[in-house]
Amino acid sequence: MIHSHRSRALALAAGGCALATALALVAPAFATSTERFVLDDAAALAAGELGRTIVHSDGRVTVGAELERIALPDDVPLVYCTVRASDGAIYLGTGNDGKIYRVRGSAVSLFAETGQLLVASMVIGQGGAIYAGTLPEGRIYRIGSDGQPNEIARPDGVEHVWDLAFDAQRNVLYAATGPEGRIYAIDPQDAATIYWDSPAAHVMSLALAPDGALYAGTSDDAVVARITSATAAEIVHDFPGNEITALAFASGVLAVGANEFPDPPAVTSLQTATPASPSSRLPRPRPGKGRIFRVTSDGRTERVFEQDEGHITSLALLADGTIVAGTGKDGRVVRVNPNRTTATWIDVDERQVLDVSFGRGDDYFVTGDGAALYRLTDARPRSAIWESKVLDARFVSRWGQIDWRGEGQLVLQTRSGNVQAPDETWSEWSSDLSRGGPIRSPQARFLQVRARFDRDPDAVLRAVTAYFLPQNQRPYVTEVRIEGANKAATDLMRAERQHHVPDASTQYKLAWTVDNPDGDRIRYRLRFRQESQRVWRDILRSDVVLTDENYPWQTESIPDGWYVVAVEASDELDNPGNLTLRDTRQSEPFRIDNHAPTIEQLRFAANHLTGRAVDGLGPIARLEYAVDGGDWVAFFPVDDLFDTAEERFDIDLTSLPPGEHIVSVRTADAGGNLASAETQLRR
Amino acid sequence: MRVRHAVPFFCCAALLVTAVAFGQVRGTSDRVIGVSEITPGMRGYGLTVFRGTEPERFDVEVIDVLHNFRPDQDLILIRTPHPILEDAHVVAGMSGSPIYLDGRLAGAYAYGWPFSQDPVAGVTPIANMMVEMRRAVRPEAFVGARPLAGRGLVPSRLAGPHLAGLPAYRGDPDVTATTALEAHAARVGALRTPSGTTLIPAATPLLLGGFDDAVVRLLDEQLGGFGLMALQAGGAGARTPPPNAPTAFVNGGAVGVQIVRGDIASTAVGTITYVEGGRAVAFGHPMLNAGQTSLPTALVRVLHILSSSNRSFKISEPIGPLGALVHDRQSGVVVDSGTTAATVQARVRITGIADAPRTEWNFEVASHRVLTPILLNAAILNAVAATASDSTDATFEATSRVWIDGRAGPETVVDRGYSQLGAANAATLRQLRLFALLEAIYGNPFAPAQATRVEIDIAIDYARQTVAILDAAVPALEVDPGATVPVRVVLRRFGRDEEIRIVPVRIPEHAAGQTVQIDIQPGPAVHLEHPQPRDLDELIRGVRERYSATSMVVSLQTPFRGLRFSGHVAHHLPSSALDSLQLTNDSDRNRPFVTFDRHEVGLDQVASGGARIEVTVRRTPR
């Protein structure tokens, strides 16, 4: 959604927001950090809040339906299922006290109490009786007009009654249950028999076809079966995912809500009633993926809708083939048109839309995590507002132009803030913008845009683009390393064990790390000075642009001594001069020692070979001698310590056999530089 | 002016502290001396009972005043040059003895240094004690208590269930006899082993009668931290009051808190500091620091003061019940002689022991969330120790019946257990579900409730009637979904060959392609998921409904989660339903749990051990 628009920053920097586009073609190449939010497809446009507006799959935002919200009592947390009676009364099956409420007009009244946890399913049966399936004890009730529940079945092993279907032709009630994954058929005498025993744990959903075939969807596989008798069941399709939560059948078409949930949250199995701690975070299931399929009478199965977050909770299939679905995240109702275009149709404040009823003369849906019934009305919405999700510029930014594409008289507004969730610290919504122009909200990190449709109910919004210039972020050099500064000495010690002395190198590898929050391209400048000096000298020529985070430094011409290197990071490559930010960090002092020691005053007398090893920087690190081209033999200086730049030595050669010999002496300094000398002597 | 009737108690308290300090409280101004008037070297006297029931004087000399010894409470340091006290130093049971200076009441003898060589004590100023004495009383804190005719408990604006200041009990299965005591000790910061340099309340002797030595030690460990010194010294009291026995509390007279009476007895003894109307203050320090409470009190006769360099105390016995302890506070306890505290009638009966010298104990125990469980536990342990003290294999079955005030029949739980250390095993007996039942009654968050009678029948069998779960196996580690797998459990009963028990376990078809875990555990090791209780009945049901100790439970772990709700538990929830039933603002109580398919298999004997197997379920049947 964030697009960089590198060629516009100069214009914005100069304050010419309105001219930014015009200047784009002539902008210098170095000014490159203007960015933009682009909301131009259905996913981006639907990510915000839809207040009586619709986001269509082709990226249009239009005015939606007006809703009448009918709230349930505060102690009812969810409406799980609903059924509409022939007299227009709507019955709501609720949790967590297993109550059924009746809605006539806008009046809500308690109709029945099952004493169970949840009324999970309801259906109208013979004579208008209401059947209710419950959990957690798997009880099924028949409820007359007096609201008195009569338990008609409680099949063995059943804990949940997820769905009910009533076959008026056969006068049979079907109950989809868990956790044994069975469908029970309950006859008019209330005798319950197993109608289908699925391999799944739950039969979650039922749909009855006019020919009496019963479609059933399962969990935690996602299979839909067609059952025509207690002995005849066929698999219609094995869908991807693990739950078929909703089925609807109309005009030879079966609509299927198939969901894919991740593994359930990890929890302890030990059940102790520890006191509640309100602050603790509960393990919650992550949102499931929701998909809607359409299965035609010839068995053709096609996916008509898919979303990665938010499972399908319920379906309605209209006579013209339109599918309306409730979803389990963000309180939304989606609509799938016969031509396979889709729309995020309704968005309410409650978290879940748990059941929908459309195309039966009274369009409505019910919600959970906030229990309410919403009824669609024919009136035009009093207020239709599309609101973007909170747009994150990542850094405090100066806002530029806002443009949009659309038709009709739209009004746009913005607001901004520095916390992700809008609160009282955010700015108020800006004054109305009836055409593109500068964003009128204060600079901040987060931005939100909304479009109002109240001037023109037929207006269409297609895309919104908002430009911004993030505040430039300083690059920080966090570490400077001199790789190879101690290499010679280290190698020397290793070489001691291997009986040879390596050559010293005059090349040092400078390396550094940088924290670069906004990802600008960084130019590095390198300088050095002797530890005791104050004047810095450039390592690089002024025309060298170094962007790598290391540099091989040749120090052959540098006098021996202790040095410090400074690395400067500058984001000048992506920012104009007045906005460029720099940071410099120095290395630890390190030694450069490129010059070999010397061996002086080599003399042989009284069977002893004496002399001095002298280095300019020191200390002398090693002394060795060899007789007549033999192996090098290490020896210590006179004072036994390699601790100064000049070490005197005295080699006792008494053990040499009498005669002429050539004795070689070599030495190495701490920088790994070698020197040698030899003398011919007679013993 | 009756200040306590006119304003909330906290205002009353503040006024009284000020008023008493300046000698302005009507009726006491000429009889009390404020701390500001006390100077080093002042002489006076104290009153306490050295023998019989008549208080006697002992001399005191003020050393100095320790300011802010406790929050808003000073301490007067005195020396007590009395022949008995020169030897005994600080005497347990003297707590509360009134100290008079300049002929006026200064406070209560209350604190001392353990192991002190000098008869030096600390005196709690009377002003602080008077505040407590006149404090209002919440009626709901006195479940089962009865006011005498014509006297009512003083209501206050503070209301709430009687939970003894502890968290409400909501069904934790791991409750024992000492759970409430431990919580209370943590709350009030009960003393650990005191050092010789710490000024501590003069110990309150807890005189025990009819208890086994081991039980005395147990009670000493449990209550010692509160300054109660458990002593095997009678405590039951004379069957008939002595002639000329007092009928009312007097300043300097002995008072006992009778927390058990009957075949076994336990009385905490102290001294009355000051009597005003039907109320008296005593001790000068707390007993259990339990705040407002209700414990039976009695008049006490002192038989002797036993002097010892280790611990000196009054040997005494109750001579007749009178009143109730209604406040147990920092500066002292308050006794209301017009109130009768509720008690619990108790019977412990032991069966199965041939020729047992005694098999039944009847007694009355204080009705209190903290005290009742530990006292009943002590009584049970005492009865078992007296009847079946052998340290050998013992199996027992304990049937506990608890009658609750206002209900018809008893609540009954049956526990079975085994101990290789003999039946009198404190660690085993403290886990009886009787104590969970009592915690449910006294600690329930729904309504005040009180146990009125408890009967415990313990059938003991000197035999190792146990069965160990040694191992488990299945014929094949790969099975078909939907198959019924014969789980072969290897058991061993003591003295017999290994025994094989086949338990059929159905592998659910939905487990296809997964690895499932099967646990075989003794019944008590399996925690059942109970609903969040909505009332006392559901709370008690949660205590009752547990797997038997004489069963093994075979549990198949399912991939589904469950949730607990008020009055309901939902198992095996598919993801969509789990998501819908968990609300955004749910508290931790709605944490999901793993669900199991369980089968209980009776074994007739107490089970131990356990086994676990994992089975891979094929994707499709072979």
Side-chain angles (χ1 to χ4, degrees):
Chain A
M1 192 178 301
I2 293 181
H3 297 247
S4 286
H5 197 291
R6 294 176 177 271
S7 61
R8 291 183 180 169
L10 179 63
L12 284 168
C17 299
L19 298 174
T21 305
L23 289 174
L25 296 176
V26 295
F30 67 81
T32 55
S33 53
T34 295
E35 298 183 31
R36 58 183 174 164
F37 298 115
V38 178
L39 310 173
D40 62 354
D41 60 21
L45 291 164
E49 295 288 327
L50 313 180
R52 312 295 192 258
T53 52
I54 303 171
V55 176
H56 302 266
S57 55
D58 61 3
R60 287 176 300 128
V61 182
T62 62
V63 173
E66 180 62 307
L67 302 173
E68 178 195 11
R69 183 180 190 274
I70 300 170
L72 270 77
D74 289 343
D75 60 344
V76 178
L78 75 162
V79 183
Y80 200 79
C81 61
T82 174
V83 70
R84 184 174 181 274
S86 56
D87 64 356
I90 297 171
Y91 294 87
L92 310 176
T94 70
N96 291 332
D97 290 311
K99 294 176 180 173
I100 298 173
Y101 288 86
R102 179 166 57 196
V103 181
R104 290 189 193 278
S106 299
V108 179
S109 60
L110 179 61
F111 175 65
E113 293 184 80
T114 65
Q116 296 294 294
L117 170 67
L118 176 70
V119 176
S121 51
M122 288 192 295
V123 71
I124 303 286
Q126 205 74 278
I130 295 172
Y131 292 97
T134 63
L135 59 94
E137 294 168 354
R139 297 175 193 262
I140 301 169
Y141 300 90
R142 180 169 46 233
I143 305 169
S145 57
D146 59 355
Q148 285 302 313
N150 297 310
E151 183 179 313
I152 60 168
R154 188 187 179 190
D156 284 347
V158 171
E159 296 174 13
H160 328 99
V161 182
W162 296 118
D163 205 358
L164 293 171
F166 186 76
D167 186 341
Q169 293 174 3
R170 301 181 194 175
N171 201 12
V172 173
L173 176 70
Y174 296 106
T177 70
E180 301 289 343
R182 292 172 179 159
I183 296 175
Y184 287 86
I186 302 168
D187 67 16
Q189 286 71 47
D190 299 337
T193 55
I194 296 175
Y195 190 60
W196 184 50
D197 190 357
S198 82
H202 301 274
V203 179
M204 298 291 295
S205 49
L206 297 174
L208 197 59
D211 63 357
L214 185 66
Y215 291 90
T218 65
S219 169
D220 62 336
D221 52 19
V223 166
V224 171
R226 181 175 184 271
I227 307 133
T228 50
S229 75
T231 56
E234 59 183 2
I235 301 302
V236 174
H237 196 83
D238 185 356
F239 290 90
N242 43 23
E243 272 196 41
I244 305 292
T245 46
L247 293 172
F249 189 93
S251 307
V253 173
L254 180 70
V256 179
N259 304 299
E260 182 175 347
F261 288 94
D263 289 337
V267 291
T268 174
S269 60
L270 181 64
Q271 293 310 296
T272 55
T274 50
S277 66
S279 60
S280 60
R281 292 172 63 86
L282 286 180
R284 303 187 66 89
R286 283 169 287 162
K289 292 179 181 175
R291 302 183 183 96
I292 300 173
F293 293 85
R294 186 154 52 193
V295 184
T296 53
S297 54
D298 59 359
R300 184 189 305 276
T301 300
E302 55 183 4
R303 190 176 63 212
V304 294
F305 176 82
E306 179 177 28
Q307 64 181 17
D308 283 343
E309 287 204 349
H311 64 279
I312 305 299
T313 59
S314 50
L315 287 175
L317 181 55
L318 279 57
D320 66 353
T322 299
I323 299 170
V324 179
T327 68
K329 185 170 182 287
D330 296 335
R332 295 196 163 181
V333 177
V334 298
R335 180 183 174 117
V336 182
N337 299 314
N339 63 359
R340 298 185 56 173
T341 60
T342 64
T344 303
W345 192 23
I346 294 167
D347 181 4
V348 293
D349 291 340
E350 291 76 10
R351 185 170 64 91
Q352 295 193 309
V353 173
L354 290 175
D355 201 2
V356 297
S357 178
F358 284 82
R360 297 175 186 174
D362 192 5
D363 294 341
Y364 66 92
F365 60 92
V366 294
T367 62
D369 213 349
L373 177 146
Y374 283 91
R375 188 182 275 130
L376 275 70
T377 71
D378 295 331
R380 281 192 162 177
R382 283 172 302 214
S383 170
I385 296 174
W386 166 86
E387 195 172 291
S388 77
K389 74 170 205 175
V390 172
L391 305 169
D392 183 4
R394 291 181 293 130
F395 304 104
V396 172
S397 300
R398 227 169 69 211
W399 309 117
Q401 182 89 354
I402 184 165
D403 293 320
W404 64 89
R405 283 188 294 114
E407 295 137 33
Q409 296 180 41
L410 282 168
V411 171
L412 263 70
Q413 294 173 289
T414 60
R415 63 176 175 176
S416 61
N418 285 312
V419 292
Q420 187 150 24
D423 60 11
E424 67 276 6
T425 66
W426 275 53
S427 69
E428 296 295 324
W429 286 105
S430 68
S431 55
D432 293 352
L433 285 166
S434 53
R435 62 173 62 90
I439 293 171
R440 295 170 183 171
S441 297
Q443 64 178 15
R445 173 175 167 176
F446 298 100
L447 180 74
Q448 208 175 13
V449 182
R450 75 178 185 184
R452 297 205 328 261
F453 292 73
D454 40 2
R455 289 187 190 170
D456 181 359
D458 297 322
V460 176
L461 176 68
R462 294 184 185 278
V464 175
T465 304
Y467 295 92
F468 61 97
L469 177 66
Q471 191 179 61
N472 188 25
Q473 302 297 304
R474 185 185 302 279
Y476 288 100
V477 182
T478 56
E479 183 188 16
V480 177
R481 303 182 302 279
I482 313 297
E483 296 174 5
N486 296 313
K487 176 170 176 288
T490 309
D491 287 354
L492 190 67
M493 287 185 279
R494 189 182 304 120
E496 280 182 351
R497 293 192 295 272
Q498 296 168 354
H499 303 292
H500 73 275
V501 175
D503 292 335
S505 170
T506 58
Q507 180 171 296
Y508 291 75
K509 183 180 178 184
L510 310 182
W512 52 93
T513 52
V514 178
D515 181 10
N516 184 14
D518 55 4
D520 284 347
R521 288 181 300 154
I522 306 296
R523 176 180 179 176
Y524 300 103
R525 291 185 174 84
L526 309 177
R527 300 183 181 92
F528 76 99
R529 63 173 170 81
Q530 271 205 333
E531 187 183 21
S532 58
Q533 295 176 343
R534 306 180 73 172
V535 178
W536 291 93
R537 285 174 279 176
D538 290 331
I539 293 177
L540 306 173
R541 293 197 316 270
S542 60
D543 60 341
V544 174
V545 177
L546 176 64
T547 56
D548 293 339
E549 292 177 6
N550 60 76
Y551 179 73
W553 186 26
Q554 184 53 253
T555 63
E556 197 171 27
S557 60
I558 308 292
D560 293 352
W562 286 87
Y563 287 84
V564 176
V565 165
V567 177
E568 178 194 279
S570 162
D571 61 5
E572 64 197 56
L573 299 177
D574 276 347
N575 292 281
N578 61 331
L579 297 179
T580 295
L581 294 172
R582 295 180 172 85
D583 183 52
T584 301
R585 189 179 184 90
Q586 297 179 20
S587 71
E588 294 290 323
F590 63 99
R591 63 182 281 141
I592 292 178
D593 185 357
N594 292 332
H595 294 89
T598 58
I599 295 174
E600 300 173 355
Q601 300 174 6
L602 194 62
R603 292 196 186 100
F604 181 73
N607 292 331
H608 282 253
L609 182 64
T610 59
R612 294 192 311 157
V614 180
D615 186 60
L617 183 61
I620 295 296
R622 186 173 175 82
L623 285 167
E624 294 170 314
Y625 76 94
V627 178
D628 300 332
D631 289 342
W632 289 103
V633 177
F635 65 96
F636 283 5
V638 170
D639 62 358
D640 291 337
L641 294 171
F642 289 108
D643 57 351
T644 59
E646 178 182 332
E647 295 289 356
R648 289 178 55 241
F649 57 83
D650 182 342
I651 309 170
D652 183 356
L653 298 176
T654 309
S655 60
L656 282 183
E660 291 281 339
H661 298 283
I662 293 177
V663 178
S664 304
V665 177
R666 74 176 183 181
T667 184
D669 63 14
N673 302 295
L674 287 173
S676 62
E678 61 184 30
T679 184
Q680 186 171 350
L681 55 87
R682 171 174 289 278
R683 164 79 168 81
Chain B
M1 180 179 72
R2 300 294 286 182
V3 177
R4 63 192 167 114
H5 286 274
V7 293
F9 84 90
F10 43 86
C11 297
C12 168
L15 283 172
L16 279 169
V17 167
T18 308
V20 171
F22 291 93
Q24 296 299 310
V25 175
R26 193 178 67 184
T28 59
S29 61
D30 56 342
R31 298 201 301 267
V32 302
I33 181 169
V35 172
S36 61
E37 300 177 73
I38 298 172
T39 56
M42 284 181 82
R43 292 177 182 276
Y45 66 91
L47 281 179
T48 200
V49 178
F50 290 103
R51 182 174 175 80
T53 56
E54 278 298 317
E56 298 175 43
R57 285 192 179 201
F58 58 94
D59 293 336
V60 301
E61 178 186 340
V62 174
I63 298 172
D64 213 329
V65 174
L66 264 177
H67 295 286
N68 271 341
F69 165 67
R70 292 275 189 271
D72 292 327
Q73 182 180 321
D74 299 330
L75 189 76
I76 307 157
L77 292 179
I78 58 167
R79 187 172 285 111
T80 55
H82 185 278
I84 293 178
L85 300 178
E86 290 286 351
D87 291 336
H89 308 307
V90 178
V91 177
M94 276 184 65
S95 291
S97 300
I99 303 298
Y100 296 87
L101 299 171
D102 192 25
R104 291 180 288 167
L105 179 59
Y109 178 106
Y111 291 86
W113 281 265
F115 320 116
S116 165
Q117 297 299 313
D118 294 324
V120 173
V123 175
T124 300
I126 190 63
N128 299 85
M129 299 177 72
M130 299 286 272
V131 170
E132 303 299 356
M133 187 166 76
R134 295 170 181 183
R135 231 181 193 188
V137 171
R138 285 179 291 131
E140 68 276 6
F142 295 85
V143 182
R146 299 185 303 278
L148 292 187
R151 283 179 57 86
L153 295 169
V154 180
S156 80
R157 294 166 63 187
L158 294 176
H162 173 63
L163 300 176
L166 303 179
Y169 176 71
R170 297 180 187 278
D172 179 0
D174 297 324
V175 163
T176 70
T178 55
T179 299
L181 177 75
E182 288 159 5
H184 176 69
R187 185 176 72 84
V188 302
L191 289 171
R192 302 292 173 226
T193 306
S195 70
T197 57
T198 307
L199 187 62
I200 62 167
T204 304
L206 183 65
L207 305 175
L208 302 171
F211 282 98
D212 182 85
D213 286 347
V215 182
V216 174
R217 283 195 297 275
L218 179 72
L219 283 171
D220 199 38
E221 285 172 16
Q222 292 174 338
L223 297 173
F226 296 96
L228 289 168
M229 181 195 293
L231 299 164
Q232 183 73 292
R239 301 205 181 275
T240 55
N244 304 321
T247 56
F249 295 119
V250 295
N251 297 0
V255 60
V257 184
Q258 273 192 299
I259 52 179
V260 184
R261 59 191 173 207
D263 291 345
I264 53 174
S266 176
T267 303
V269 174
T271 303
I272 295 287
T273 308
Y274 179 70
V275 180
E276 182 180 86
R279 291 267 181 102
V281 279
F283 284 27
H285 58 65
M287 189 174 93
L288 293 174
N289 211 354
Q292 192 158 279
T293 185
S294 176
L295 299 171
T297 50
L299 294 161
V300 166
R301 178 171 73 103
V302 177
L303 283 69
H304 181 61
I305 289 186
L306 183 71
S307 299
S308 158
S309 58
N310 182 19
R311 42 171 65 175
S312 301
F313 60 95
K314 289 183 177 180
I315 301 175
S316 41
E317 66 176 15
I319 54 176
L322 178 63
L325 189 156
V326 294
H327 281 296
D328 181 6
R329 308 271 181 191
Q330 175 186 297
S331 62
V333 300
V334 178
V335 176
D336 188 319
S337 57
T339 300
T340 304
T343 56
V344 182
Q345 302 295 320
R347 188 195 73 193
V348 178
R349 195 160 53 191
I350 310 294
T351 59
I353 306 299
D355 304 324
R358 181 171 191 170
T359 58
E360 185 172 317
W361 283 259
N362 289 283
F363 51 95
E364 213 178 338
V365 63
S367 178
H368 190 270
R369 184 178 179 184
V370 174
L371 286 175
T372 305
I374 61 164
L375 296 172
L376 282 171
N377 182 47
I380 293 167
L381 187 60
N382 189 62
V384 175
T387 313
S389 58
D390 308 55
S391 290
T392 182
D393 294 314
T395 310
F396 68 86
E397 178 179 292
T399 304
S400 306
R401 299 180 191 84
V402 181
W403 280 260
I404 302 171
D405 196 16
R407 297 180 178 222
E411 300 291 344
T412 304
V413 287
V414 179
D415 297 281
R416 295 178 182 83
Y418 160 76
S419 169
Q420 58 186 3
L421 301 174
N425 183 336
T428 303
L429 294 174
R430 68 200 282 267
Q431 296 178 41
L432 296 179
R433 277 183 293 166
L434 161 68
F435 303 114
L437 212 49
L438 289 171
E439 182 67 351
I441 294 166
Y442 286 104
N444 85 84
F446 309 109
Q450 184 221 351
T452 55
R453 180 169 180 76
V454 174
E455 292 180 359
I456 306 116
D457 291 293
I458 302 179
I460 297 171
D461 186 0
Y462 282 129
R464 184 182 284 188
Q465 294 188 2
T466 61
V467 54
I469 302 165
L470 298 180
D471 197 7
V474 289
L477 292 177
E478 270 196 17
V479 300
D480 287 342
T484 297
V485 175
V487 176
R488 184 174 180 273
V489 183
V490 183
L491 306 171
R492 172 174 281 159
R493 294 174 196 268
F494 181 69
R496 295 200 210 163
D497 292 337
E498 285 184 356
E499 170 185 333
I500 305 299
R501 187 69 72 94
I502 304 295
V503 183
V505 174
R506 183 175 174 273
I507 305 297
E509 285 160 312
H510 60 73
Q514 301 173 18
T515 297
V516 296
Q517 181 178 301
I518 301 171
D519 289 323
I520 300 96
Q521 299 166 280
V526 178
H527 289 291
L528 276 171
E529 297 83 16
H530 293 292
Q532 294 165 15
R534 291 173 293 193
D535 53 33
L536 179 57
D537 286 328
E538 290 186 351
L539 192 56
I540 289 174
R541 193 178 307 141
V543 173
R544 268 204 318 259
E545 290 177 355
R546 294 181 192 173
Y547 288 117
S548 166
T550 57
S551 70
M552 68 175 175
V553 178
V554 180
S555 306
L556 176 86
Q557 184 174 340
T558 78
F560 298 106
R561 300 290 182 260
L563 289 170
R564 301 167 68 240
F565 297 89
S566 288
H568 300 286
V569 180
H571 295 267
H572 300 102
L573 292 171
S575 296
S576 62
L578 184 68
D579 189 25
S580 295
L581 289 169
Q582 276 192 285
L583 307 179
T584 305
N585 296 321
D586 270 350
S587 73
D588 197 46
R589 290 196 303 159
N590 294 66
R591 182 174 290 272
F593 59 84
V594 174
T595 59
F596 293 85
D597 291 337
R598 295 192 176 111
H599 312 272
E600 185 179 18
V601 180
L603 295 176
D604 302 326
Q605 295 183 342
V606 176
S608 62
R612 170 177 291 177
I613 48 181
E614 288 188 343
V615 176
T616 302
V617 187
R618 297 186 189 94
R619 291 198 171 279
T620 54
R622 194 164 56 182

